[in-house]
Coordinates of all heavy atoms in Angstrom, one line a residue:
M1 N 18.7 -16.6 29.8 CA 18.9 -16.1 28.5 C 18.3 -17.0 27.5 O 18.4 -18.3 27.5 CB 20.4 -16.1 28.3 CG 20.8 -15.1 27.2 SD 22.5 -14.4 27.4 CE 23.4 -15.6 26.5
G2 N 17.5 -16.5 26.5 CA 16.8 -17.3 25.5 C 17.8 -17.7 24.4 O 18.9 -17.2 24.2
R3 N 17.3 -18.7 23.6 CA 18.1 -19.2 22.5 C 18.0 -18.1 21.4 O 17.0 -17.5 21.2 CB 17.5 -20.5 22.0 CG 17.7 -21.6 23.0 CD 17.4 -23.0 22.5 NE 16.4 -23.0 21.4 CZ 15.9 -24.2 20.9 NH1 16.3 -25.3 21.5 NH2 15.1 -24.2 20.0
S4 N 19.1 -18.0 20.7 CA 19.1 -17.1 19.5 C 18.4 -17.8 18.3 O 18.4 -19.0 18.2 CB 20.5 -16.7 19.1 OG 21.2 -17.9 18.7
R5 N 17.8 -17.0 17.5 CA 17.0 -17.5 16.4 C 18.0 -17.8 15.3 O 18.9 -17.1 14.9 CB 16.1 -16.4 16.0 CG 15.1 -16.8 15.0 CD 14.1 -15.6 14.8 NE 12.9 -16.2 14.2 CZ 11.8 -15.7 14.2 NH1 11.6 -14.5 14.8 NH2 10.7 -16.3 13.7
K6 N 17.7 -19.0 14.6 CA 18.6 -19.4 13.5 C 18.1 -18.7 12.2 O 16.9 -18.6 12.0 CB 18.5 -20.9 13.3 CG 19.3 -21.6 14.4 CD 19.3 -23.1 14.1 CE 20.1 -23.9 15.1 NZ 20.2 -25.3 14.8
N7 N 19.0 -18.3 11.4 CA 18.7 -17.8 10.1 C 19.2 -18.7 9.0 O 20.4 -19.1 9.1 CB 19.3 -16.4 9.9 CG 18.6 -15.4 10.8 OD1 17.4 -15.4 10.9 ND2 19.3 -14.4 11.3
Y8 N 18.4 -19.1 8.1 CA 18.8 -20.0 7.1 C 18.9 -19.3 5.7 O 18.0 -18.4 5.5 CB 17.8 -21.2 6.9 CG 17.7 -22.0 8.2 CD1 16.6 -21.9 9.1 CD2 18.7 -23.0 8.5 CE1 16.5 -22.6 10.2 CE2 18.6 -23.7 9.7 CZ 17.5 -23.5 10.5 OH 17.4 -24.3 11.7
P9 N 19.8 -19.6 4.9 CA 19.9 -19.0 3.6 C 18.7 -19.3 2.7 O 18.1 -20.4 2.9 CB 21.2 -19.6 3.0 CG 21.9 -20.3 4.1 CD 20.9 -20.6 5.1
A10 N 18.3 -18.4 1.9 CA 17.1 -18.5 1.1 C 17.2 -19.8 0.2 O 16.2 -20.5 0.0 CB 16.8 -17.3 0.2
A11 N 18.4 -20.0 -0.4 CA 18.6 -21.1 -1.3 C 18.4 -22.4 -0.5 O 17.8 -23.4 -1.1 CB 20.0 -21.1 -1.9
W12 N 18.8 -22.5 0.7 CA 18.6 -23.7 1.5 C 17.1 -23.9 1.8 O 16.6 -25.1 1.8 CB 19.4 -23.6 2.8 CG 19.5 -24.9 3.5 CD1 20.3 -26.0 3.2 CD2 18.8 -25.3 4.7 NE1 20.1 -27.0 4.1 CE2 19.2 -26.6 5.0 CE3 17.9 -24.6 5.5 CZ2 18.7 -27.2 6.2 CZ3 17.4 -25.3 6.6 CH2 17.8 -26.6 6.9
K13 N 16.4 -22.8 2.1 CA 15.0 -23.0 2.4 C 14.3 -23.5 1.1 O 13.4 -24.3 1.3 CB 14.4 -21.6 2.7 CG 14.8 -21.1 4.1 CD 14.2 -19.7 4.3 CE 14.7 -19.0 5.5 NZ 14.0 -17.7 5.7
V14 N 14.6 -23.0 0.0 CA 14.0 -23.5 -1.3 C 14.3 -25.0 -1.5 O 13.4 -25.7 -1.8 CB 14.5 -22.7 -2.5 CG1 14.1 -23.3 -3.8 CG2 14.0 -21.2 -2.4
Q15 N 15.5 -25.4 -1.2 CA 15.9 -26.8 -1.3 C 15.0 -27.7 -0.4 O 14.5 -28.7 -0.8 CB 17.4 -27.0 -0.9 CG 17.9 -28.4 -1.0 CD 19.3 -28.5 -0.6 OE1 20.0 -27.6 -0.2 NE2 19.8 -29.8 -0.6
V16 N 14.8 -27.2 0.8 CA 14.0 -28.0 1.8 C 12.6 -28.0 1.3 O 11.9 -29.1 1.3 CB 14.1 -27.4 3.2 CG1 13.2 -28.1 4.2 CG2 15.6 -27.5 3.7
A17 N 12.1 -26.9 0.9 CA 10.7 -26.8 0.4 C 10.4 -27.6 -0.8 O 9.4 -28.3 -0.9 CB 10.3 -25.3 0.2
L18 N 11.4 -27.6 -1.7 CA 11.3 -28.5 -2.9 C 11.3 -30.0 -2.6 O 10.6 -30.8 -3.1 CB 12.4 -28.2 -3.9 CG 12.2 -26.8 -4.6 CD1 13.4 -26.6 -5.5 CD2 10.9 -26.8 -5.5
A19 N 12.1 -30.3 -1.6 CA 12.1 -31.7 -1.1 C 10.8 -32.1 -0.5 O 10.3 -33.2 -0.8 CB 13.2 -31.9 -0.1
A20 N 10.2 -31.2 0.2 CA 8.8 -31.4 0.7 C 7.8 -31.6 -0.4 O 6.9 -32.4 -0.3 CB 8.4 -30.3 1.7
L21 N 7.9 -30.7 -1.4 CA 7.0 -30.8 -2.5 C 7.1 -32.1 -3.3 O 6.1 -32.6 -3.9 CB 7.2 -29.6 -3.5 CG 6.6 -28.3 -3.1 CD1 7.1 -27.2 -4.0 CD2 5.1 -28.4 -3.0
K22 N 8.3 -32.6 -3.4 CA 8.5 -33.9 -4.1 C 7.6 -35.0 -3.5 O 7.0 -35.8 -4.3 CB 9.9 -34.4 -4.1 CG 10.8 -33.6 -5.0 CD 12.2 -34.2 -5.0 CE 13.2 -33.4 -5.8 NZ 14.5 -34.0 -5.7
G23 N 7.5 -35.0 -2.2 CA 6.6 -36.0 -1.6 C 7.3 -37.4 -1.4 O 6.6 -38.4 -1.1
D24 N 8.6 -37.5 -1.7 CA 9.3 -38.8 -1.6 C 9.4 -39.2 -0.1 O 9.4 -40.4 0.2 CB 10.7 -38.7 -2.2 CG 10.6 -38.4 -3.7 OD1 9.6 -38.7 -4.3 OD2 11.7 -38.0 -4.3
K25 N 9.5 -38.2 0.7 CA 9.7 -38.4 2.2 C 8.7 -37.7 3.0 O 8.1 -36.7 2.5 CB 11.1 -38.0 2.6 CG 12.3 -38.7 1.9 CD 13.6 -38.1 2.4 CE 14.7 -38.8 1.6 NZ 16.0 -38.2 2.0
T26 N 8.4 -38.2 4.1 CA 7.4 -37.5 5.0 C 8.1 -36.3 5.6 O 9.3 -36.1 5.6 CB 7.0 -38.4 6.2 OG1 8.1 -38.7 7.0 CG2 6.4 -39.7 5.6
L27 N 7.3 -35.4 6.2 CA 7.8 -34.2 6.8 C 8.7 -34.6 8.0 O 9.7 -33.9 8.2 CB 6.7 -33.3 7.3 CG 5.9 -32.5 6.3 CD1 4.8 -31.7 6.9 CD2 6.9 -31.6 5.5
A28 N 8.4 -35.6 8.7 CA 9.2 -36.1 9.8 C 10.6 -36.6 9.3 O 11.6 -36.3 10.0 CB 8.5 -37.2 10.6
E29 N 10.6 -37.3 8.2 CA 11.9 -37.7 7.7 C 12.7 -36.5 7.2 O 13.9 -36.5 7.5 CB 11.6 -38.7 6.5 CG 11.0 -40.0 6.9 CD 10.6 -40.9 5.7 OE1 10.3 -40.3 4.6 OE2 10.6 -42.1 5.8
L30 N 12.1 -35.6 6.5 CA 12.8 -34.4 6.1 C 13.3 -33.6 7.3 O 14.4 -33.0 7.3 CB 11.9 -33.5 5.2 CG 11.5 -34.1 3.8 CD1 10.5 -33.2 3.2 CD2 12.8 -34.2 3.0
A31 N 12.5 -33.5 8.3 CA 12.9 -32.7 9.5 C 14.1 -33.3 10.2 O 15.0 -32.6 10.6 CB 11.7 -32.7 10.5
S32 N 14.2 -34.6 10.3 CA 15.4 -35.3 10.9 C 16.6 -35.1 9.9 O 17.7 -35.0 10.4 CB 15.1 -36.7 11.2 OG 14.8 -37.5 10.1
E33 N 16.3 -35.2 8.6 CA 17.4 -35.1 7.6 C 18.0 -33.7 7.7 O 19.2 -33.5 7.6 CB 16.9 -35.4 6.2 CG 17.9 -35.3 5.1 CD 17.3 -35.6 3.8 OE1 16.3 -36.4 3.7 OE2 17.9 -35.1 2.8
F34 N 17.2 -32.7 7.7 CA 17.7 -31.3 7.6 C 17.9 -30.7 9.0 O 18.4 -29.6 9.1 CB 16.7 -30.4 6.8 CG 16.7 -30.8 5.4 CD1 15.7 -31.4 4.8 CD2 17.8 -30.4 4.5 CE1 15.7 -31.7 3.4 CE2 17.8 -30.7 3.2 CZ 16.7 -31.4 2.6
G35 N 17.4 -31.3 10.1 CA 17.6 -30.8 11.4 C 16.7 -29.6 11.8 O 17.2 -28.8 12.5
I36 N 15.5 -29.6 11.2 CA 14.6 -28.5 11.6 C 13.2 -29.1 11.9 O 13.0 -30.3 11.6 CB 14.5 -27.5 10.4 CG1 14.1 -28.2 9.1 CG2 15.7 -26.7 10.3 CD1 13.8 -27.2 8.0
H37 N 12.3 -28.3 12.5 CA 11.0 -28.8 12.9 C 10.1 -29.0 11.6 O 10.2 -28.2 10.7 CB 10.4 -27.8 13.8 CG 9.3 -28.3 14.6 ND1 8.0 -28.4 14.1 CD2 9.2 -28.8 15.9 CE1 7.2 -28.9 15.0 NE2 7.9 -29.2 16.1
P38 N 9.3 -30.0 11.7 CA 8.4 -30.3 10.5 C 7.5 -29.1 10.2 O 7.1 -28.8 9.1 CB 7.6 -31.5 11.0 CG 8.4 -32.1 12.0 CD 9.2 -31.1 12.7
N39 N 7.0 -28.3 11.3 CA 6.2 -27.2 11.0 C 6.9 -26.1 10.2 O 6.3 -25.4 9.4 CB 5.7 -26.6 12.3 CG 4.7 -27.4 13.0 OD1 4.2 -28.4 12.5 ND2 4.5 -27.2 14.3
Q40 N 8.2 -26.0 10.4 CA 9.0 -25.0 9.6 C 9.0 -25.4 8.2 O 8.9 -24.6 7.3 CB 10.4 -24.9 10.2 CG 11.2 -23.8 9.5 CD 10.7 -22.4 9.8 OE1 10.6 -22.0 10.9 NE2 10.2 -21.7 8.8
I41 N 9.2 -26.7 7.9 CA 9.2 -27.2 6.5 C 7.9 -26.9 5.9 O 7.8 -26.5 4.7 CB 9.6 -28.7 6.5 CG1 11.0 -28.9 7.0 CG2 9.4 -29.2 5.1 CD1 11.4 -30.4 7.2
Q42 N 6.8 -27.2 6.6 CA 5.5 -26.9 6.1 C 5.3 -25.5 5.8 O 4.7 -25.1 4.7 CB 4.4 -27.4 7.1 CG 3.0 -27.4 6.6 CD 2.7 -28.3 5.4 OE1 3.4 -29.3 5.2 NE2 1.8 -27.9 4.6
Q43 N 5.7 -24.6 6.6 CA 5.6 -23.1 6.3 C 6.4 -22.7 5.1 O 5.9 -21.9 4.3 CB 6.1 -22.3 7.5 CG 5.2 -22.3 8.7 CD 5.8 -21.6 9.9 OE1 6.9 -21.2 9.9 NE2 5.0 -21.4 10.9
W44 N 7.6 -23.2 4.9 CA 8.4 -22.9 3.8 C 7.8 -23.4 2.5 O 7.8 -22.8 1.4 CB 9.8 -23.4 3.9 CG 10.6 -22.7 5.0 CD1 10.4 -21.5 5.5 CD2 11.8 -23.2 5.5 NE1 11.3 -21.2 6.5 CE2 12.3 -22.2 6.5 CE3 12.6 -24.3 5.4 CZ2 13.4 -22.3 7.2 CZ3 13.8 -24.4 6.1 CH2 14.2 -23.4 7.1
K45 N 7.2 -24.6 2.6 CA 6.5 -25.2 1.4 C 5.3 -24.4 1.0 O 5.1 -24.1 -0.2 CB 6.1 -26.6 1.8 CG 5.3 -27.4 0.7 CD 4.9 -28.7 1.2 CE 3.9 -29.4 0.3 NZ 3.4 -30.7 0.8
K46 N 4.5 -23.9 2.0 CA 3.4 -23.1 1.7 C 3.8 -21.8 1.1 O 3.2 -21.3 0.2 CB 2.5 -22.8 3.0 CG 1.7 -24.0 3.4 CD 0.9 -23.6 4.7 CE 0.1 -24.8 5.1 NZ -0.7 -24.5 6.4
H47 N 4.9 -21.2 1.6 CA 5.4 -19.9 1.1 C 5.9 -20.1 -0.3 O 5.6 -19.2 -1.1 CB 6.5 -19.4 2.0 CG 7.0 -18.1 1.7 ND1 6.3 -16.9 2.0 CD2 8.1 -17.7 1.1 CE1 7.0 -15.9 1.6 NE2 8.1 -16.3 1.0
L48 N 6.6 -21.2 -0.6 CA 7.0 -21.4 -1.9 C 5.9 -21.5 -2.9 O 5.9 -20.9 -4.0 CB 7.9 -22.7 -2.0 CG 8.4 -23.1 -3.4 CD1 9.4 -22.1 -3.9 CD2 9.1 -24.5 -3.3
L49 N 4.8 -22.3 -2.5 CA 3.7 -22.4 -3.4 C 2.9 -21.1 -3.6 O 2.4 -20.8 -4.7 CB 2.7 -23.5 -2.8 CG 3.2 -24.9 -2.9 CD1 2.3 -25.9 -2.1 CD2 3.4 -25.4 -4.4
A50 N 2.9 -20.3 -2.6 CA 2.2 -19.0 -2.7 C 2.9 -18.0 -3.6 O 2.3 -17.2 -4.3 CB 2.0 -18.4 -1.3
E51 N 4.3 -18.0 -3.5 CA 5.1 -17.0 -4.2 C 5.5 -17.5 -5.6 O 5.9 -16.6 -6.4 CB 6.3 -16.7 -3.4 CG 6.1 -16.0 -2.1 CD 5.4 -14.7 -2.3 OE1 5.8 -13.9 -3.2 OE2 4.5 -14.3 -1.5
A52 N 5.4 -18.8 -5.9 CA 5.9 -19.3 -7.2 C 5.2 -18.6 -8.4 O 5.9 -18.2 -9.4 CB 5.7 -20.8 -7.3
P53 N 3.9 -18.4 -8.4 CA 3.3 -17.8 -9.6 C 3.8 -16.4 -9.9 O 3.9 -15.9 -11.0 CB 1.8 -17.8 -9.2 CG 1.6 -18.9 -8.3 CD 2.9 -18.9 -7.5
S54 N 4.1 -15.6 -8.8 CA 4.5 -14.2 -9.0 C 5.9 -14.2 -9.6 O 6.2 -13.2 -10.3 CB 4.5 -13.5 -7.7 OG 5.5 -14.0 -6.8
L55 N 6.7 -15.2 -9.5 CA 8.0 -15.2 -10.1 C 7.9 -15.2 -11.6 O 8.6 -14.4 -12.3 CB 8.8 -16.5 -9.7 CG 9.2 -16.7 -8.3 CD1 9.7 -18.1 -8.0 CD2 10.1 -15.6 -7.9
F56 N 7.0 -15.9 -12.2 CA 6.8 -16.0 -13.6 C 6.0 -14.8 -14.1 O 6.2 -14.3 -15.2 CB 6.1 -17.3 -14.0 CG 6.9 -18.5 -13.7 CD1 6.6 -19.3 -12.6 CD2 8.1 -18.8 -14.4 CE1 7.4 -20.4 -12.3 CE2 8.9 -19.8 -14.1 CZ 8.5 -20.7 -13.1
A57 N 5.1 -14.3 -13.3 CA 4.2 -13.1 -13.7 C 5.1 -11.9 -13.8 O 4.9 -11.1 -14.7 CB 3.1 -12.9 -12.7
S58 N 6.0 -11.7 -12.9 CA 6.8 -10.5 -12.9 C 7.7 -10.4 -14.1 O 8.0 -9.4 -14.7 CB 7.7 -10.3 -11.6 OG 8.6 -11.4 -11.5
R59 N 8.2 -11.6 -14.5 CA 9.0 -11.6 -15.7 C 8.2 -11.2 -17.0 O 8.7 -10.5 -17.8 CB 9.6 -13.0 -16.0 CG 11.0 -13.2 -15.6 CD 11.6 -14.5 -16.0 NE 12.4 -15.0 -14.9 CZ 12.5 -16.2 -14.6 NH1 11.9 -17.1 -15.3 NH2 13.3 -16.5 -13.6
R60 N 7.0 -11.7 -17.0 CA 6.1 -11.4 -18.1 C 5.8 -9.9 -18.2 O 5.8 -9.3 -19.2 CB 4.9 -12.3 -18.1 CG 4.0 -12.1 -19.3 CD 2.8 -13.0 -19.3 NE 2.6 -13.6 -18.0 CZ 1.5 -14.3 -17.7 NH1 0.6 -14.6 -18.6 NH2 1.4 -14.8 -16.5
R61 N 5.5 -9.4 -17.0 CA 5.2 -7.9 -16.9 C 6.4 -7.1 -17.3 O 6.3 -6.1 -18.0 CB 4.8 -7.5 -15.5 CG 3.3 -7.8 -15.3 CD 2.9 -7.3 -13.9 NE 3.1 -8.5 -13.0 CZ 3.4 -8.4 -11.7 NH1 3.5 -7.3 -11.1 NH2 3.6 -9.5 -11.0
K62 N 7.6 -7.5 -16.9 CA 8.8 -6.8 -17.3 C 9.0 -6.9 -18.8 O 9.3 -5.9 -19.5 CB 10.0 -7.4 -16.6 CG 11.3 -6.8 -16.9 CD 12.5 -7.4 -16.2 CE 13.8 -6.7 -16.5 NZ 14.9 -7.4 -15.9
T63 N 8.8 -8.1 -19.4 CA 8.9 -8.2 -20.9 C 7.9 -7.4 -21.6 O 8.2 -6.7 -22.6 CB 8.8 -9.7 -21.2 OG1 9.7 -10.5 -20.5 CG2 9.0 -9.9 -22.7
E64 N 6.7 -7.4 -21.1 CA 5.6 -6.5 -21.7 C 6.0 -5.1 -21.6 O 5.8 -4.3 -22.6 CB 4.3 -6.8 -21.0 CG 3.7 -8.2 -21.3 CD 2.4 -8.5 -20.5 OE1 2.0 -7.6 -19.7 OE2 1.9 -9.5 -20.7
R65 N 6.5 -4.6 -20.5 CA 6.9 -3.2 -20.3 C 8.0 -2.9 -21.3 O 8.0 -1.8 -21.9 CB 7.3 -3.0 -18.9 CG 7.6 -1.5 -18.6 CD 7.9 -1.2 -17.1 NE 9.2 -1.9 -16.7 CZ 9.3 -2.8 -15.8 NH1 8.2 -3.2 -15.1 NH2 10.4 -3.4 -15.5
E66 N 9.0 -3.8 -21.4 CA 10.1 -3.5 -22.3 C 9.6 -3.4 -23.8 O 10.0 -2.6 -24.5 CB 11.2 -4.6 -22.2 CG 12.0 -4.5 -20.9 CD 12.9 -5.7 -20.7 OE1 12.8 -6.7 -21.5 OE2 13.7 -5.6 -19.8
A67 N 8.6 -4.3 -24.1 CA 8.1 -4.3 -25.5 C 7.3 -3.0 -25.7 O 7.4 -2.4 -26.8 CB 7.1 -5.5 -25.7
E68 N 6.6 -2.5 -24.7 CA 5.9 -1.2 -24.8 C 6.8 0.0 -25.0 O 6.6 0.9 -25.8 CB 5.0 -1.0 -23.6 CG 3.8 -1.9 -23.6 CD 3.0 -1.8 -22.3 OE1 3.4 -1.0 -21.4 OE2 2.0 -2.5 -22.1
E69 N 7.9 -0.1 -24.3 CA 8.9 1.0 -24.4 C 9.6 1.0 -25.8 O 9.8 2.0 -26.4 CB 10.0 0.8 -23.3 CG 9.5 1.2 -21.9 CD 10.5 0.8 -20.8 OE1 11.6 0.3 -21.1 OE2 10.2 1.1 -19.6
L70 N 9.9 -0.2 -26.3 CA 10.4 -0.3 -27.6 C 9.5 0.2 -28.6 O 9.8 0.9 -29.6 CB 10.8 -1.8 -27.9 CG 11.4 -2.1 -29.3 CD1 12.6 -1.3 -29.5 CD2 11.6 -3.6 -29.5
Q71 N 8.2 -0.2 -28.5 CA 7.2 0.3 -29.4 C 7.0 1.8 -29.4 O 7.0 2.4 -30.5 CB 5.8 -0.3 -29.1 CG 4.7 0.0 -30.0 CD 4.9 -0.6 -31.4 OE1 5.3 -1.7 -31.6 NE2 4.5 0.2 -32.4
A72 N 7.1 2.4 -28.2 CA 7.0 3.9 -28.1 C 8.2 4.5 -28.8 O 8.1 5.5 -29.5 CB 6.9 4.3 -26.7
E73 N 9.4 4.0 -28.6 CA 10.6 4.5 -29.2 C 10.5 4.4 -30.8 O 10.9 5.3 -31.5 CB 11.8 3.8 -28.7 CG 13.1 4.2 -29.4 CD 13.5 5.7 -29.2 OE1 13.0 6.4 -28.3 OE2 14.3 6.2 -30.0
L74 N 10.1 3.3 -31.2 CA 9.9 3.1 -32.7 C 8.9 4.0 -33.3 O 9.1 4.6 -34.4 CB 9.6 1.6 -33.0 CG 10.7 0.6 -32.7 CD1 10.2 -0.8 -32.9 CD2 11.9 0.8 -33.6
D75 N 7.8 4.2 -32.6 CA 6.8 5.2 -33.1 C 7.3 6.6 -33.1 O 7.1 7.3 -34.1 CB 5.5 5.1 -32.1 CG 4.7 3.9 -32.3 OD1 4.9 3.2 -33.3 OD2 3.9 3.6 -31.4
R76 N 8.1 6.9 -32.1 CA 8.8 8.3 -32.1 C 9.7 8.4 -33.3 O 9.7 9.5 -34.0 CB 9.5 8.5 -30.8 CG 10.1 9.9 -30.6 CD 11.1 10.0 -29.5 NE 12.3 9.2 -29.8 CZ 13.3 9.5 -30.7 NH1 13.2 10.6 -31.4 NH2 14.4 8.8 -30.8
Q77 N 10.5 7.4 -33.6 CA 11.4 7.5 -34.7 C 10.7 7.5 -36.0 O 11.1 8.3 -36.9 CB 12.4 6.2 -34.7 CG 13.4 6.3 -33.6 CD 14.2 5.0 -33.5 OE1 14.1 4.1 -34.4 NE2 15.1 4.9 -32.6
I78 N 9.6 6.8 -36.2 CA 8.8 6.9 -37.4 C 8.3 8.3 -37.6 O 8.3 8.8 -38.7 CB 7.7 5.8 -37.4 CG1 8.3 4.4 -37.5 CG2 6.7 6.1 -38.5 CD1 7.3 3.3 -37.3
G79 N 7.8 8.9 -36.5 CA 7.2 10.2 -36.6 C 8.3 11.2 -37.0 O 8.1 12.1 -37.9
Q80 N 9.5 11.1 -36.5 CA 10.6 12.0 -36.8 C 11.0 11.8 -38.3 O 11.2 12.8 -39.0 CB 11.8 11.7 -35.9 CG 13.0 12.6 -36.2 CD 14.1 12.3 -35.2 OE1 14.0 11.5 -34.3 NE2 15.3 12.9 -35.5
L81 N 11.1 10.6 -38.7 CA 11.4 10.3 -40.1 C 10.4 10.8 -41.1 O 10.7 11.3 -42.2 CB 11.6 8.8 -40.3 CG 12.9 8.2 -39.7 CD1 12.9 6.7 -39.8 CD2 14.2 8.8 -40.2
K82 N 9.1 10.8 -40.7 CA 8.1 11.3 -41.6 C 8.2 12.8 -41.7 O 8.1 13.4 -42.8 CB 6.7 11.0 -41.1 CG 6.2 9.6 -41.3 CD 4.8 9.3 -40.8 CE 4.3 7.9 -41.1 NZ 3.0 7.7 -40.7
V83 N 8.5 13.5 -40.6 CA 8.7 14.9 -40.7 C 9.9 15.3 -41.5 O 9.8 16.2 -42.4 CB 8.8 15.5 -39.2 CG1 9.3 16.9 -39.3 CG2 7.5 15.3 -38.4
E84 N 11.0 14.6 -41.4 CA 12.2 14.8 -42.2 C 11.9 14.6 -43.6 O 12.3 15.3 -44.5 CB 13.3 14.0 -41.7 CG 13.8 14.4 -40.3 CD 14.9 13.5 -39.8 OE1 15.3 12.5 -40.5 OE2 15.3 13.7 -38.6
L85 N 11.2 13.5 -44.0 CA 10.8 13.2 -45.3 C 10.0 14.3 -46.0 O 10.2 14.7 -47.1 CB 10.1 11.8 -45.4 CG 9.7 11.3 -46.8 CD1 11.0 11.1 -47.7 CD2 8.9 10.0 -46.7
D86 N 9.0 14.7 -45.3 CA 8.1 15.8 -45.8 C 8.9 17.0 -46.0 O 8.8 17.7 -47.0 CB 7.0 16.1 -44.8 CG 5.9 15.0 -44.7 OD1 5.9 14.2 -45.7 OD2 5.2 14.9 -43.7
W87 N 9.8 17.4 -45.1 CA 10.7 18.5 -45.3 C 11.6 18.4 -46.5 O 11.7 19.3 -47.3 CB 11.5 18.7 -44.0 CG 12.4 20.0 -44.1 CD1 12.0 21.2 -43.8 CD2 13.8 20.0 -44.4 NE1 13.1 22.1 -43.9 CE2 14.2 21.4 -44.3 CE3 14.7 19.1 -44.8 CZ2 15.5 21.8 -44.6 CZ3 16.0 19.5 -45.1 CH2 16.4 20.8 -45.0
L88 N 12.1 17.2 -46.7 CA 13.0 17.0 -47.9 C 12.2 17.1 -49.2 O 12.7 17.6 -50.2 CB 13.7 15.6 -47.8 CG 14.9 15.6 -46.8 CD1 15.3 14.1 -46.6 CD2 16.0 16.5 -47.2
K89 N 11.0 16.5 -49.2 CA 10.1 16.6 -50.4 C 9.8 18.0 -50.8 O 9.8 18.4 -51.9 CB 8.8 15.8 -50.1 CG 8.9 14.3 -50.2 CD 7.6 13.7 -50.0 CE 7.7 12.2 -50.0 NZ 6.4 11.6 -49.7
K90 N 9.6 18.9 -49.8 CA 9.3 20.3 -50.1 C 10.6 21.0 -50.7 O 10.5 21.8 -51.5 CB 8.9 21.0 -48.8 CG 7.5 20.6 -48.4 CD 7.1 21.4 -47.1 CE 5.8 20.9 -46.6 NZ 5.4 21.6 -45.3
R91 N 11.7 20.6 -50.2 CA 13.0 21.2 -50.6 C 13.3 20.8 -52.0 O 13.9 21.6 -52.8 CB 14.1 20.9 -49.7 CG 13.9 21.3 -48.2 CD 14.0 22.8 -48.0 NE 15.4 23.2 -48.0 CZ 15.8 24.4 -48.0 NH1 14.9 25.4 -48.2 NH2 17.0 24.7 -48.0
V92 N 13.0 19.6 -52.4 CA 13.4 19.0 -53.7 C 12.4 19.3 -54.8 O 12.8 19.4 -56.0 CB 13.6 17.5 -53.5 CG1 13.9 16.8 -54.9 CG2 14.7 17.2 -52.6
E93 N 11.1 19.6 -54.5 CA 10.1 19.8 -55.5 C 10.5 21.0 -56.3 O 10.9 22.1 -55.8 CB 8.8 20.0 -54.8 CG 8.1 18.8 -54.3 CD 6.8 19.1 -53.6 OE1 6.3 20.3 -53.6 OE2 6.2 18.2 -53.1
P94 N 10.4 20.9 -57.6 CA 10.7 22.0 -58.5 C 9.6 23.1 -58.4 O 8.4 22.8 -58.2 CB 10.7 21.4 -59.9 CG 9.9 20.2 -59.8 CD 10.0 19.7 -58.4
S95 N 10.0 24.3 -58.4 CA 9.1 25.4 -58.4 C 8.3 25.5 -59.7 O 8.9 25.4 -60.7 CB 9.8 26.7 -58.1 OG 10.4 26.7 -56.9
H96 N 7.0 25.7 -59.6 CA 6.2 25.8 -60.8 C 6.0 27.3 -61.2 O 5.7 28.2 -60.6 CB 4.9 25.1 -60.7 CG 5.0 23.6 -60.6 ND1 4.9 22.8 -61.7 CD2 5.3 22.8 -59.6 CE1 5.1 21.6 -61.3 NE2 5.4 21.5 -60.0

């Protein structure tokens, strides 16, 4: 019977990868400290570095999308108010 595969929580993986990024300790030291293989730490570190830019980019895209939606709603409201204003102006103008 083979060994079962260990699953680590994402927060713990990030903690290990950040420790590797700091560079205070070698991978061997971190491996003995956290009880995992140095190759696994190296993989998590690479994954963190690869995914980090997308974390900030997705927030910016979300903010841009929200700003565009707000702009579209404001444009719609302005258009509606212009139509209502024109209608009121016609109703209030004295007949000649």
Side-chain angles (χ1 to χ4, degrees):
M1 202 155 88
R3 294 189 332 186
S4 63
R5 191 174 198 158
K6 289 186 178 181
N7 290 322
Y8 300 101
W12 191 76
K13 291 178 184 180
V14 171
Q15 179 184 358
V16 173
L18 287 174
L21 281 173
K22 283 184 185 177
D24 296 343
K25 298 178 183 178
T26 66
L27 287 179
E29 291 172 333
L30 291 172
S32 65
E33 180 181 332
F34 291 106
I36 55 175
H37 197 276
N39 289 345
Q40 186 65 64
I41 296 173
Q42 186 65 26
Q43 287 177 351
W44 290 344
K45 179 182 168 183
K46 285 181 182 179
H47 187 74
L48 177 64
L49 289 172
E51 295 296 322
S54 67
L55 295 172
F56 297 105
S58 65
R59 258 191 221 144
R60 184 174 16 175
R61 277 184 269 153
K62 181 180 177 183
T63 303
E64 288 173 359
R65 185 177 64 241
E66 289 172 351
E68 288 173 1
E69 290 172 358
L70 177 61
Q71 182 68 39
E73 175 63 19
L74 292 174
D75 289 342
R76 186 195 64 76
Q77 289 178 3
I78 289 171
Q80 181 179 351
L81 290 172
K82 282 183 178 181
V83 169
E84 291 174 3
L85 180 62
D86 290 342
W87 183 81
L88 285 172
K89 283 181 181 178
K90 289 179 184 177
R91 301 288 281 168
V92 174
E93 285 180 0
S95 299
H96 293 265

